[in-house]
């Protein structure tokens, strides 16, 4: 499936990875204005997830990560797989909860950070055995260490 919005989101991600954080943020903001709160859940989830990564304010980052989680909650496997056959929504949750845990940690809400970490760890079995999964598991371990928790 050709998906112009996902292509645009990926272009913004590549801008961010390439060091143009401000450009990525501008692209993501304009795209969010176009798709809005009621847009396609896959678009909202991906866009909110990546927009959070270009926020300087931890409270704003949290707001975007919460939007990503809400979008994932309304996303179906069928829609995700229409974009890419290997996607399963359950595989999104470890990363989403990891990001929320880090947001809450930055904001000093350690109890909620620990809760999000536990939610991520409960769902980590949805990940495969690849470099993406390794990165998420490493992120969970690092967050657990920052919170003074034993990691699973």
């Amino acid at each position: 499936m050709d998906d112009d919005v996902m292509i645009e989101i990926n272009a913004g991600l590549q801008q961010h990875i390439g060091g143009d954080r401000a450009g990525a943020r501008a692209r993501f903001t304009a795209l969010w204005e176009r798709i809005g709160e009621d847009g396609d859940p896959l678009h909202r989830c991906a866009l909110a997830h990546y927009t959070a990564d270009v926020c300087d304010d931890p409270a704003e980052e949290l707001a975007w990560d919460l939007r990503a989680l809400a979008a994932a909650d309304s996303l179906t496997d069928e829609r995700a797989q229409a974009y890419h056959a290997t996607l399963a929504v359950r595989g999104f949750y470890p990363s989403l909860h990891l990001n929320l845990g880090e947001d809450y940690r930055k904001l000093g809400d350690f109890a909620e950070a620990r809760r999000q970490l536990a939610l991520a760890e409960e769902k980590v079995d949805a990940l495969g055995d690849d470099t993406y999964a390794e990165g998420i598991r490493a992120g969970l371990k690092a967050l657990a260490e920052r919170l003074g928790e034993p990691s699973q």
Side-chain angles (χ1 to χ4, degrees):
M1 171 180 172
D2 287 334
D3 188 324
D4 292 341
V5 174
M6 292 302 288
I7 290 168
E8 187 73 14
I9 292 169
N10 189 54
L13 174 61
Q14 295 309 310
Q15 266 183 291
H16 178 220
I17 291 169
D20 184 4
R21 186 179 167 107
R25 183 171 172 81
R27 182 185 296 255
F28 291 154
T29 300
L31 192 53
W32 186 263
E33 289 172 6
R34 199 168 94 211
I35 67 169
E37 294 283 338
D38 297 321
D40 182 314
L42 178 65
H43 296 159
R44 289 185 292 121
C45 184
L47 183 56
H49 181 70
Y50 293 128
T51 301
D53 293 341
V54 296
C55 291
D56 295 322
D57 175 20
E60 187 179 4
E61 185 177 357
L62 172 63
W64 283 107
D65 280 329
L66 288 169
R67 284 182 186 108
L69 180 64
D73 287 344
S74 65
L75 181 59
T76 65
D77 283 338
E78 292 77 20
R79 171 58 187 107
Q81 290 165 5
Y83 173 66
H84 194 284
T86 65
L87 292 178
V89 177
R90 64 187 183 89
F92 293 16
Y93 286 98
S95 175
L96 294 170
H97 286 293
L98 169 61
N99 289 354
L100 286 166
E102 184 60 25
D103 296 341
Y104 284 113
R105 185 198 65 79
K106 289 177 189 174
L107 292 167
D109 187 343
F110 302 115
E112 186 59 24
R114 286 182 183 96
R115 189 177 85 78
Q116 293 295 326
L117 174 63
L119 288 169
E121 288 175 334
E122 287 172 12
K123 294 169 175 40
V124 78
D125 66 333
L127 299 175
D129 188 23
D130 55 20
T131 56
Y132 172 78
E134 289 172 17
I136 298 300
R137 287 183 179 99
L140 293 171
K141 181 178 180 185
L143 178 57
E145 289 171 0
R146 286 190 292 279
L147 291 171
E149 297 286 318
S151 63
Q152 295 183 356

Short mmCIF file of all heavy atoms in Angstrom, two decimals, residues 61-99:
data_model
loop_
_atom_site.label_atom_id
_atom_site.label_comp_id
_atom_site.label_asym_id
_atom_site.label_seq_id
_atom_site.Cartn_x
_atom_site.Cartn_y
_atom_site.Cartn_z
N GLU A 61 6.49 16.37 25.58
CA GLU A 61 6.85 15.03 25.13
C GLU A 61 5.85 14.01 25.66
O GLU A 61 5.39 13.12 24.92
CB GLU A 61 8.27 14.70 25.58
CG GLU A 61 8.81 13.40 25.09
CD GLU A 61 10.25 13.15 25.51
OE1 GLU A 61 10.89 14.01 26.14
OE2 GLU A 61 10.74 12.05 25.20
N LEU A 62 5.51 14.12 26.93
CA LEU A 62 4.53 13.22 27.53
C LEU A 62 3.18 13.32 26.81
O LEU A 62 2.56 12.29 26.51
CB LEU A 62 4.35 13.54 29.02
CG LEU A 62 3.22 12.81 29.73
CD1 LEU A 62 3.43 11.31 29.73
CD2 LEU A 62 3.07 13.34 31.16
N ALA A 63 2.75 14.53 26.51
CA ALA A 63 1.46 14.71 25.84
C ALA A 63 1.45 13.99 24.48
O ALA A 63 0.47 13.33 24.13
CB ALA A 63 1.15 16.20 25.67
N TRP A 64 2.55 14.09 23.74
CA TRP A 64 2.62 13.40 22.44
C TRP A 64 2.67 11.89 22.62
O TRP A 64 2.04 11.15 21.86
CB TRP A 64 3.81 13.91 21.63
CG TRP A 64 3.53 15.24 21.02
CD1 TRP A 64 4.05 16.45 21.38
CD2 TRP A 64 2.63 15.51 19.92
NE1 TRP A 64 3.53 17.45 20.59
CE2 TRP A 64 2.66 16.89 19.68
CE3 TRP A 64 1.82 14.71 19.14
CZ2 TRP A 64 1.91 17.50 18.69
CZ3 TRP A 64 1.05 15.30 18.14
CH2 TRP A 64 1.11 16.68 17.93
N ASP A 65 3.42 11.42 23.61
CA ASP A 65 3.48 9.97 23.84
C ASP A 65 2.12 9.42 24.28
O ASP A 65 1.76 8.29 23.92
CB ASP A 65 4.58 9.63 24.85
CG ASP A 65 5.96 9.63 24.20
OD1 ASP A 65 6.06 9.30 23.00
OD2 ASP A 65 6.94 9.94 24.91
N LEU A 66 1.36 10.20 25.03
CA LEU A 66 0.01 9.77 25.40
C LEU A 66 -0.89 9.73 24.17
O LEU A 66 -1.73 8.82 24.05
CB LEU A 66 -0.57 10.70 26.48
CG LEU A 66 0.04 10.54 27.86
CD1 LEU A 66 -0.41 11.67 28.78
CD2 LEU A 66 -0.29 9.17 28.47
N ARG A 67 -0.72 10.67 23.24
CA ARG A 67 -1.48 10.62 21.99
C ARG A 67 -1.13 9.35 21.21
O ARG A 67 -2.01 8.72 20.61
CB ARG A 67 -1.18 11.85 21.14
CG ARG A 67 -1.83 13.11 21.59
CD ARG A 67 -1.51 14.27 20.63
NE ARG A 67 -2.03 15.51 21.17
CZ ARG A 67 -1.27 16.48 21.67
NH1 ARG A 67 0.03 16.39 21.69
NH2 ARG A 67 -1.84 17.57 22.15
N ALA A 68 0.14 9.01 21.18
CA ALA A 68 0.57 7.80 20.46
C ALA A 68 -0.08 6.56 21.06
O ALA A 68 -0.56 5.69 20.34
CB ALA A 68 2.09 7.68 20.47
N LEU A 69 -0.10 6.48 22.39
CA LEU A 69 -0.71 5.34 23.06
C LEU A 69 -2.21 5.27 22.77
O LEU A 69 -2.74 4.20 22.46
CB LEU A 69 -0.45 5.40 24.56
CG LEU A 69 -1.04 4.25 25.39
CD1 LEU A 69 -0.40 2.92 25.01
CD2 LEU A 69 -0.86 4.54 26.88
N ALA A 70 -2.89 6.40 22.84
CA ALA A 70 -4.33 6.43 22.57
C ALA A 70 -4.60 5.98 21.13
O ALA A 70 -5.56 5.24 20.88
CB ALA A 70 -4.89 7.82 22.82
N ALA A 71 -3.77 6.42 20.20
CA ALA A 71 -3.96 6.01 18.81
C ALA A 71 -3.73 4.50 18.65
O ALA A 71 -4.48 3.83 17.94
CB ALA A 71 -3.02 6.78 17.90
N ALA A 72 -2.71 3.98 19.32
CA ALA A 72 -2.45 2.53 19.26
C ALA A 72 -3.64 1.75 19.80
O ALA A 72 -3.97 0.68 19.26
CB ALA A 72 -1.18 2.19 20.04
N ASP A 73 -4.27 2.28 20.84
CA ASP A 73 -5.43 1.60 21.41
C ASP A 73 -6.60 1.51 20.44
O ASP A 73 -7.46 0.65 20.60
CB ASP A 73 -5.88 2.30 22.70
CG ASP A 73 -4.94 2.07 23.86
OD1 ASP A 73 -4.10 1.15 23.81
OD2 ASP A 73 -5.04 2.84 24.86
N SER A 74 -6.63 2.39 19.44
CA SER A 74 -7.72 2.34 18.46
C SER A 74 -7.27 1.74 17.12
O SER A 74 -8.06 1.66 16.19
CB SER A 74 -8.30 3.74 18.24
OG SER A 74 -7.35 4.60 17.66
N LEU A 75 -6.05 1.29 17.06
CA LEU A 75 -5.49 0.74 15.84
C LEU A 75 -5.73 -0.77 15.78
O LEU A 75 -5.63 -1.46 16.80
CB LEU A 75 -3.98 1.03 15.81
CG LEU A 75 -3.17 0.57 14.61
CD1 LEU A 75 -3.69 1.19 13.33
CD2 LEU A 75 -1.70 0.95 14.82
N THR A 76 -6.04 -1.26 14.61
CA THR A 76 -6.23 -2.71 14.42
C THR A 76 -5.03 -3.30 13.69
O THR A 76 -4.32 -2.60 12.96
CB THR A 76 -7.49 -3.00 13.59
OG1 THR A 76 -7.30 -2.49 12.27
CG2 THR A 76 -8.73 -2.40 14.24
N ASP A 77 -4.83 -4.59 13.89
CA ASP A 77 -3.78 -5.28 13.15
C ASP A 77 -4.04 -5.19 11.65
O ASP A 77 -3.10 -5.04 10.87
CB ASP A 77 -3.71 -6.75 13.57
CG ASP A 77 -3.01 -6.95 14.90
OD1 ASP A 77 -2.24 -6.07 15.32
OD2 ASP A 77 -3.23 -8.01 15.52
N GLU A 78 -5.29 -5.29 11.27
CA GLU A 78 -5.61 -5.22 9.84
C GLU A 78 -5.13 -3.91 9.23
O GLU A 78 -4.56 -3.91 8.13
CB GLU A 78 -7.12 -5.40 9.60
CG GLU A 78 -7.63 -6.79 9.92
CD GLU A 78 -7.80 -7.05 11.44
OE1 GLU A 78 -7.89 -6.10 12.24
OE2 GLU A 78 -7.81 -8.24 11.82
N ARG A 79 -5.36 -2.80 9.93
CA ARG A 79 -4.91 -1.50 9.41
C ARG A 79 -3.39 -1.44 9.37
O ARG A 79 -2.79 -1.00 8.39
CB ARG A 79 -5.47 -0.34 10.25
CG ARG A 79 -4.87 1.03 9.90
CD ARG A 79 -5.10 1.38 8.43
NE ARG A 79 -4.42 2.59 8.05
CZ ARG A 79 -3.33 2.64 7.27
NH1 ARG A 79 -2.79 1.52 6.80
NH2 ARG A 79 -2.77 3.78 6.95
N ALA A 80 -2.75 -1.88 10.44
CA ALA A 80 -1.28 -1.87 10.49
C ALA A 80 -0.70 -2.73 9.38
O ALA A 80 0.26 -2.35 8.70
CB ALA A 80 -0.79 -2.33 11.86
N GLN A 81 -1.30 -3.89 9.15
CA GLN A 81 -0.79 -4.81 8.13
C GLN A 81 -1.11 -4.36 6.71
O GLN A 81 -0.43 -4.77 5.77
CB GLN A 81 -1.32 -6.22 8.41
CG GLN A 81 -0.67 -6.80 9.65
CD GLN A 81 -1.38 -8.01 10.21
OE1 GLN A 81 -2.33 -8.52 9.62
NE2 GLN A 81 -0.92 -8.47 11.35
N ALA A 82 -2.08 -3.47 6.56
CA ALA A 82 -2.32 -2.89 5.25
C ALA A 82 -1.14 -2.01 4.85
O ALA A 82 -0.83 -1.86 3.68
CB ALA A 82 -3.61 -2.07 5.25
N TYR A 83 -0.48 -1.46 5.86
CA TYR A 83 0.72 -0.65 5.60
C TYR A 83 1.95 -1.55 5.42
O TYR A 83 2.72 -1.38 4.49
CB TYR A 83 0.95 0.36 6.73
CG TYR A 83 2.25 1.10 6.60
CD1 TYR A 83 2.45 1.97 5.54
CD2 TYR A 83 3.28 0.89 7.50
CE1 TYR A 83 3.66 2.63 5.38
CE2 TYR A 83 4.49 1.54 7.35
CZ TYR A 83 4.67 2.41 6.29
OH TYR A 83 5.87 3.05 6.14
N HIS A 84 2.10 -2.50 6.37
CA HIS A 84 3.24 -3.43 6.28
C HIS A 84 2.80 -4.78 6.85
O HIS A 84 2.37 -4.85 8.01
CB HIS A 84 4.44 -2.89 7.05
CG HIS A 84 5.71 -3.60 6.73
ND1 HIS A 84 6.01 -4.85 7.20
CD2 HIS A 84 6.76 -3.23 5.95
CE1 HIS A 84 7.20 -5.22 6.76
NE2 HIS A 84 7.66 -4.25 5.99
N ALA A 85 2.92 -5.81 6.08
CA ALA A 85 2.38 -7.13 6.43
C ALA A 85 2.89 -7.69 7.74
O ALA A 85 2.22 -8.51 8.37
CB ALA A 85 2.65 -8.12 5.30
N THR A 86 4.06 -7.28 8.20
CA THR A 86 4.63 -7.87 9.41
C THR A 86 4.20 -7.17 10.70
O THR A 86 4.55 -7.64 11.79
CB THR A 86 6.17 -7.83 9.35
OG1 THR A 86 6.61 -6.47 9.34
CG2 THR A 86 6.69 -8.57 8.12
N LEU A 87 3.47 -6.09 10.59
CA LEU A 87 3.12 -5.32 11.80
C LEU A 87 1.99 -5.97 12.59
O LEU A 87 1.03 -6.47 12.01
CB LEU A 87 2.73 -3.89 11.43
CG LEU A 87 3.83 -3.01 10.89
CD1 LEU A 87 3.27 -1.63 10.53
CD2 LEU A 87 4.97 -2.87 11.90
N ALA A 88 2.14 -5.93 13.90
CA ALA A 88 1.09 -6.32 14.84
C ALA A 88 1.05 -5.24 15.92
O ALA A 88 2.09 -4.85 16.45
CB ALA A 88 1.36 -7.68 15.45
N VAL A 89 -0.11 -4.75 16.22
CA VAL A 89 -0.26 -3.64 17.15
C VAL A 89 0.35 -3.98 18.51
O VAL A 89 0.99 -3.12 19.14
CB VAL A 89 -1.74 -3.22 17.29
CG1 VAL A 89 -1.89 -2.11 18.32
CG2 VAL A 89 -2.28 -2.78 15.94
N ARG A 90 0.23 -5.21 18.95
CA ARG A 90 0.78 -5.57 20.27
C ARG A 90 2.28 -5.32 20.34
O ARG A 90 2.82 -5.07 21.42
CB ARG A 90 0.44 -7.01 20.63
CG ARG A 90 1.05 -8.05 19.73
CD ARG A 90 0.52 -9.46 20.04
NE ARG A 90 1.18 -10.44 19.22
CZ ARG A 90 2.31 -11.05 19.55
NH1 ARG A 90 2.89 -10.82 20.70
NH2 ARG A 90 2.87 -11.92 18.73
N GLY A 91 2.95 -5.33 19.22
CA GLY A 91 4.38 -5.05 19.18
C GLY A 91 4.72 -3.58 19.37
O GLY A 91 5.88 -3.24 19.61
N PHE A 92 3.72 -2.70 19.29
CA PHE A 92 3.96 -1.27 19.50
C PHE A 92 4.08 -0.93 20.98
O PHE A 92 4.76 0.02 21.36
CB PHE A 92 2.80 -0.44 18.93
CG PHE A 92 2.64 -0.45 17.44
CD1 PHE A 92 3.25 -1.39 16.63
CD2 PHE A 92 1.85 0.49 16.84
CE1 PHE A 92 3.08 -1.39 15.25
CE2 PHE A 92 1.66 0.51 15.46
CZ PHE A 92 2.27 -0.43 14.66
N TYR A 93 3.38 -1.70 21.82
CA TYR A 93 3.22 -1.31 23.23
C TYR A 93 4.51 -1.28 24.06
O TYR A 93 4.66 -0.39 24.89
CB TYR A 93 2.15 -2.17 23.89
CG TYR A 93 0.77 -1.74 23.43
CD1 TYR A 93 0.11 -2.44 22.43
CD2 TYR A 93 0.14 -0.64 23.98
CE1 TYR A 93 -1.13 -2.05 21.98
CE2 TYR A 93 -1.10 -0.23 23.54
CZ TYR A 93 -1.74 -0.93 22.54
OH TYR A 93 -2.97 -0.53 22.09
N PRO A 94 5.44 -2.19 23.90
CA PRO A 94 6.66 -2.08 24.72
C PRO A 94 7.37 -0.74 24.52
O PRO A 94 7.78 -0.10 25.50
CB PRO A 94 7.52 -3.25 24.25
CG PRO A 94 6.53 -4.27 23.75
CD PRO A 94 5.44 -3.45 23.11
N SER A 95 7.47 -0.29 23.29
CA SER A 95 8.12 0.99 23.01
C SER A 95 7.29 2.16 23.54
O SER A 95 7.84 3.10 24.13
CB SER A 95 8.33 1.15 21.50
OG SER A 95 8.86 2.42 21.20
N LEU A 96 5.98 2.10 23.33
CA LEU A 96 5.12 3.19 23.80
C LEU A 96 5.19 3.34 25.31
O LEU A 96 5.32 4.46 25.83
CB LEU A 96 3.68 2.95 23.34
CG LEU A 96 3.45 3.01 21.82
CD1 LEU A 96 2.05 2.53 21.48
CD2 LEU A 96 3.71 4.40 21.28
N HIS A 97 5.13 2.22 26.03
CA HIS A 97 5.20 2.29 27.49
C HIS A 97 6.61 2.66 27.97
O HIS A 97 6.76 3.37 28.97
CB HIS A 97 4.73 0.98 28.13
CG HIS A 97 3.25 0.81 28.04
ND1 HIS A 97 2.35 1.60 28.72
CD2 HIS A 97 2.50 -0.06 27.32
CE1 HIS A 97 1.13 1.23 28.44
NE2 HIS A 97 1.18 0.21 27.58
N LEU A 98 7.63 2.21 27.27
CA LEU A 98 9.00 2.62 27.60
C LEU A 98 9.12 4.14 27.50
O LEU A 98 9.65 4.79 28.40
CB LEU A 98 10.00 1.94 26.65
CG LEU A 98 11.44 2.47 26.68
CD1 LEU A 98 12.06 2.31 28.05
CD2 LEU A 98 12.26 1.75 25.61
N ASN A 99 8.63 4.71 26.41
CA ASN A 99 8.71 6.16 26.25
C ASN A 99 7.94 6.89 27.33
O ASN A 99 8.42 7.90 27.87
CB ASN A 99 8.19 6.56 24.87
CG ASN A 99 9.13 6.15 23.76
OD1 ASN A 99 10.22 5.66 23.99
ND2 ASN A 99 8.67 6.32 22.54
#
